[in-house]
Amino acid sequence: MPKDQDRQSLRDEEPVPDVSVVVIVYNDADRLPRAVRSVLKQSLRNLEVIVVDDCSTDSTSAVAVELKASDPRVRYLRLAQNSGGCSAPRNAGIAIARAPYVMLLDSDDELPRHSCKSLLLTAERTGADFVTGETTRIFEETHTSGLWYPELFDTVRVVQGVREAPEYFHDHLSTNKLYRAAFLARNGLRFPEGIHYEDQLFTAQALTLARSFAVVPWPVYIWRLAADPATLSISSSRHKLQNVRDRIAVARMIDSFLEESGNADLRPAKDEKFLRHDLRLYLGDLPFRSREWTEQFAELMTSYLGEITAEAVGALPREHRICQHLLRSGRIDEAIDCARSLDRPRIAPRRVTREAGRMFWGSSLPDSDSTDTLDISEWRLDEQPFESAPIRHEVDTLAPAGPLVRLSLRTYDPARLLAAPVEVTAQLWLAATGEPLKIPFRYTPCPHEADVYTAEIDLDLRRIPLGSKGFKGRRHPVVALKRADVIRTDVVLATGDVPALRAHLPLHGSLAGHVVRVGREGRGAGRLEFTWTRSGALALAEGLAPRLKPVRRKARRVHRKLTGRAAKMIAYHELLRLPVDKKLVLFEALEGHGYADSPRYIYEALVRRGLPLRPVWSYSGDPSSFPDDVRLVERGSWEYVRTLARAGYWVDSHGFPSAYPKRPETRYLQTWHGQAIKHMGFDAPELRFSSPERQQQHHDMISRWDVLISPSEEFVRTFVRANEFTGQLLRCGLPRNDVLVRWNEPEQRDRAAAVRARLQIPDGRKLLLYAPTFRDGERGTGRSIRVDLAELVERSGREWTVVVRPHYYERFAIPRELRHAVRDGRPFCDINDLLLASDALVTDYSSVMFDYANLARPILLFTDDYEEYSNSSRGMYYSLPHIAPGPMLTTTQQLADALRDLDRIRGEWAARYDHFQTMFNTHETGHASKTVVDLFFGGGNR
């Protein structure tokens, strides 16, 4: 048999790989091995790597040949001529792929270790035409990372065609997907050649043609964004007008495909994606482009914007529509100003015009064609609270003189925060390391411009601490405005008229060895930016740093060993040899996150009693919620470890770190943080079915508790039993509820009034507290905010102001157009502030309902996902319909109707409310704090 036939026969006998990964490369010899290794190290071993070289002119070919020789799973194909894009090499790789599934990888990116296996298993289980997963973007300049549209990848799901979930048009990457090869072949799916942004057409076609596609919530692709401008990717080269032309051309190709394939009804979804993603990227760049570039961009983009469906435009936020309108109208300077405020609701427009109760963007009334677009009356700027109303600070001129920099500040105040009858004080804050330098200044109203103020600020950079080793980095000043007890900080923008200045500072004082440059940030809104670099001896030391890297790395390892958790554990056990400090009390609440919960009220009762004890509080993160006279230790610090080891008393509401055992002489009071509604302890499946080691760890943690506070016998039946607690129970109610039981006392009424004043609740308007709990597995997704706040404001905003207090695991942002009627309750560390100030509560499954019942005020339950929540893996102790103290509502309209008829709700639910109180708050007397101090601390001596 001829040799060629022998080789062909051997190839035919080779096992078929499960997945083919096509790696495209052009002049990227340095990074190609990293990409290929990320595939070869996959937990799925039966795969092939097809390296397609787009006719590189560097050493890429030699590197690829070496990679092929190192592993038989690597194949190499070199194109005869350079194609100038990604399409031709990808198409060539797909054409020779042998596996039933195909993935794509760029040579500067990587695959996480389990990408191929996890996607393959999902594809085989679901039968989907392709599987898409999360992308991690690594920004190499800042060494930070972020997820690509994380809201699309929050759970495992199968989508039966893109009409079921048109938001997936935003997932236009081709590289975060595993494709069924038969699906690609059946539909003739290939990348369009000769044009950039080929991903967008290819993916739009795949989404539209797929009978089903699956989604997984874990990262399956690592997308590296280069720091070097010379190696910017095509998608990052938005400064090139050809880049704009290509995006528009591909968008039109998608439009044609949708029309020709009979899917024109998907056009609004695709258009909305173009406006929210593609156009939004360019609009965000406008403050950093030249006038000439912006005019050409506007000319290119305007022609296509005229083809966008009205439905897609109408779905955008108001400021996006305004920016597009200004661009299309040739109002370039105003479009640039507007671009700075996109998705930044605290940055105000420079000027607004008021007319007949309406408010418009700009310094003059719009013409008839622009009236609806430029109408910003819905933002209700005159009704915005001081804490979050929009304002705009811009540096007008900047004059350095040695270490001094004089800033001329212009502040645009369309919400009229500075014109309020209550005095507002202003400071400029700037820090390099540690606390900021705070420079007070005074505003002067502009004589010929309404709602515009100016100020001259002298900044002495010598007063900013730089540390013993100097400082290298960028910092951005903020303006801090204070009214009454409320402080807000806002960015300072540098306009295009302010040049990037270089100030060589004298080498004396705290600035010795530094050069400071002052200019405009090159991204985002374009903030004023100060950049410190070391010079002289400090620069020399910095230059030697690379040579010292091995020594420093070893020193860091030694430092970690000496100061890390293991070292602290050793130190802790040694400290246990010392006598206990019988007068030292360590308090902690919310795992150190603030001055709140029952430990706060026990502490205050202890202070009132004047017992000879020394209380200390632990904190984690921001300590601003603690009173000035409270002694603090940072959670996890050496001082924390010492205090934990020596304290005679521990008091907390969640749990001190489980790694630290409690000595027998120390008394541990666990207050816990509420009644149990979800399964807890050994009743929760994740613990009940966990390993014996994990169960023992939980048992050891609980066994540290000497005393546990109980608010009711239901708490004993559920929480106490589920955690197998056998220590002393104080059946006295929760100390944090004392102020709720005694809400009618002058002190609590004053506290409620102060909260309403801080939130700027208008006179005559009631406060509705919306406090949902988080969902297991969906922390940080925002999905616990299930009430349609826009609809609620529309239906009830004249009578109610809504204060949203999500769980601290959750994320939340108030839309600009709702800030007049919706407030953020998260700045209040102690939720009792909000409970006392509110007139009614809306919650779902949060234990806050048990506390709130002590106020005897209406409780409404928004439970549109009750079946899903109650049947989740964790489960609940109660059937909520059987114990609910108020109506269970499933729509925002039902909620609004209930708020309009609360008197009827009170009457209908009075008996159920009383039963709820009796069931869960039997021990609440309003004197729990005093009782706990008496029973747990006694006279302070043992």
Side-chain angles (χ1 to χ4, degrees), residues 325-490:
H325 173 81
L326 296 172
L327 196 69
R328 295 180 65 185
S329 303
R331 297 160 67 174
I332 302 299
D333 293 334
E334 292 176 89
I336 293 171
D337 290 340
C338 184
R340 289 176 170 232
S341 67
L342 293 180
D343 306 311
R344 301 180 182 96
R346 286 172 61 113
I347 299 180
R350 279 185 170 178
R351 295 174 181 85
V352 300
T353 302
R354 293 171 168 85
E355 173 72 17
R358 299 174 71 183
M359 187 177 295
F360 301 93
W361 182 289
S363 57
S364 61
L365 288 174
D367 57 38
S368 57
D369 294 336
S370 307
T371 299
D372 291 340
T373 302
L374 300 181
D375 189 339
I376 58 172
S377 304
E378 64 185 20
W379 293 353
R380 303 199 185 189
L381 296 187
D382 294 335
E383 302 175 40
Q384 296 274 351
F386 176 78
E387 203 162 21
S388 60
I391 198 166
R392 188 186 194 103
H393 306 289
E394 293 184 349
V395 172
D396 205 23
T397 60
L398 189 150
L404 299 177
V405 178
R406 168 158 285 197
L407 306 176
S408 295
L409 187 71
R410 287 176 69 86
T411 293
Y412 301 88
D413 182 26
R416 295 178 172 170
L417 303 182
L418 301 177
V422 180
E423 181 186 8
V424 176
T425 59
Q427 294 179 327
L428 184 79
W429 291 3
L430 178 61
T433 59
E435 286 295 310
L437 173 66
K438 300 179 179 181
I439 307 170
F441 64 89
R442 289 186 176 276
Y443 277 117
T444 301
C446 279
H448 306 297
E449 296 182 271
D451 306 324
V452 180
Y453 299 81
T454 61
E456 298 292 324
I457 305 171
D458 289 324
L459 173 61
D460 187 344
L461 294 167
R462 291 171 298 189
R463 297 174 57 196
I464 300 176
L466 300 177
S468 60
K469 297 180 180 179
F471 173 70
K472 178 181 180 181
R474 302 168 181 170
R475 292 292 184 266
H476 308 95
V478 297
V479 170
L481 301 176
K482 181 178 182 181
R483 188 167 84 186
D485 293 328
V486 179
I487 299 177
R488 57 172 292 159
T489 58
D490 298 280

Side-chain angles (χ1 to χ4, degrees), residues 632-688:
L632 298 175
V633 294
E634 186 173 6
R635 197 174 199 255
S637 66
W638 280 106
E639 182 61 18
Y640 178 79
V641 172
R642 189 197 69 81
T643 305
L644 201 60
R646 297 294 312 282
Y649 300 95
W650 291 358
V651 181
D652 92 316
S653 64
H654 282 65
F656 288 109
S658 59
Y660 297 104
K662 182 185 73 68
R663 64 165 86 206
E665 309 98 295
T666 298
R667 296 263 291 160
Y668 186 172
L669 171 63
Q670 175 57 253
T671 71
W672 203 240
H673 48 278
Q675 296 269 6
I677 189 168
K678 294 177 286 190
H679 285 157
M680 305 292 290
F682 292 102
D683 287 346
E686 63 266 27
L687 186 58
R688 185 166 72 249

Side-chain angles (χ1 to χ4, degrees), residues 109-126:
D109 299 332
E110 299 169 74
L111 297 183
R113 185 168 184 268
H114 300 294
S115 293
C116 293
K117 177 178 283 188
S118 64
L119 290 173
L120 176 63
L121 291 174
T122 304
E124 292 179 336
R125 178 177 59 81
T126 63

Side-chain angles (χ1 to χ4, degrees), residues 178-436:
L178 176 82
Y179 305 92
R180 196 177 292 272
F183 164 69
L184 299 180
R186 182 173 66 248
N187 292 284
L189 271 177
R190 291 295 184 268
F191 289 90
E193 299 186 15
I195 193 167
H196 292 150
Y197 297 105
E198 67 291 329
D199 274 40
Q200 299 208 15
L201 176 60
F202 180 88
T203 306
Q205 291 173 329
L207 286 164
T208 304
L209 297 172
R211 289 170 293 197
S212 69
F213 59 90
V215 180
V216 296
W218 51 82
V220 301
Y221 195 84
I222 298 173
W223 178 8
R224 291 184 172 272
L225 287 91
D228 184 359
T231 59
L232 287 178
S233 65
I234 294 169
S235 60
S236 297
S237 302
R238 296 191 300 272
H239 60 288
K240 299 177 180 179
L241 286 169
Q242 185 57 46
N243 185 287
V244 182
R245 295 186 184 96
D246 283 342
R247 275 195 197 258
I248 294 173
V250 165
R252 286 195 166 112
M253 293 171 72
I254 296 172
D255 297 340
S256 297
F257 160 74
L258 293 176
E259 186 72 34
E260 294 165 3
S261 63
N263 293 287
D265 60 301
L266 293 173
R267 176 72 186 272
K270 169 262 156 191
D271 282 351
E272 185 177 345
K273 175 264 171 186
F274 179 86
L275 296 175
R276 287 184 180 272
H277 178 84
D278 301 80
L279 177 60
R280 174 65 182 87
L281 291 173
Y282 292 113
L283 294 181
D285 293 338
L286 291 186
F288 314 104
R289 300 285 181 250
S290 68
R291 174 75 186 219
E292 180 184 2
W293 189 97
T294 306
E295 289 175 348
Q296 294 182 58
F297 166 75
E299 183 178 352
L300 288 170
M301 190 59 69
T302 295
S303 63
Y304 184 63
L305 290 180
E307 304 170 21
I308 295 290
T309 57
E311 183 180 343
V313 175
L316 297 181
R318 172 73 61 175
E319 63 268 28
H320 285 244
R321 283 179 274 157
I322 291 173
C323 196
Q324 292 177 31
H325 173 81
L326 296 172
L327 196 69
R328 295 180 65 185
S329 303
R331 297 160 67 174
I332 302 299
D333 293 334
E334 292 176 89
I336 293 171
D337 290 340
C338 184
R340 289 176 170 232
S341 67
L342 293 180
D343 306 311
R344 301 180 182 96
R346 286 172 61 113
I347 299 180
R350 279 185 170 178
R351 295 174 181 85
V352 300
T353 302
R354 293 171 168 85
E355 173 72 17
R358 299 174 71 183
M359 187 177 295
F360 301 93
W361 182 289
S363 57
S364 61
L365 288 174
D367 57 38
S368 57
D369 294 336
S370 307
T371 299
D372 291 340
T373 302
L374 300 181
D375 189 339
I376 58 172
S377 304
E378 64 185 20
W379 293 353
R380 303 199 185 189
L381 296 187
D382 294 335
E383 302 175 40
Q384 296 274 351
F386 176 78
E387 203 162 21
S388 60
I391 198 166
R392 188 186 194 103
H393 306 289
E394 293 184 349
V395 172
D396 205 23
T397 60
L398 189 150
L404 299 177
V405 178
R406 168 158 285 197
L407 306 176
S408 295
L409 187 71
R410 287 176 69 86
T411 293
Y412 301 88
D413 182 26
R416 295 178 172 170
L417 303 182
L418 301 177
V422 180
E423 181 186 8
V424 176
T425 59
Q427 294 179 327
L428 184 79
W429 291 3
L430 178 61
T433 59
E435 286 295 310

Side-chain angles (χ1 to χ4, degrees), residues 430 464 466 471-473 475 511 514-516 530-533:
L430 178 61
I464 300 176
L466 300 177
F471 173 70
K472 178 181 180 181
R475 292 292 184 266
L511 285 174
H514 287 86
V515 171
V516 178
F530 289 77
T531 304
W532 279 262
T533 55

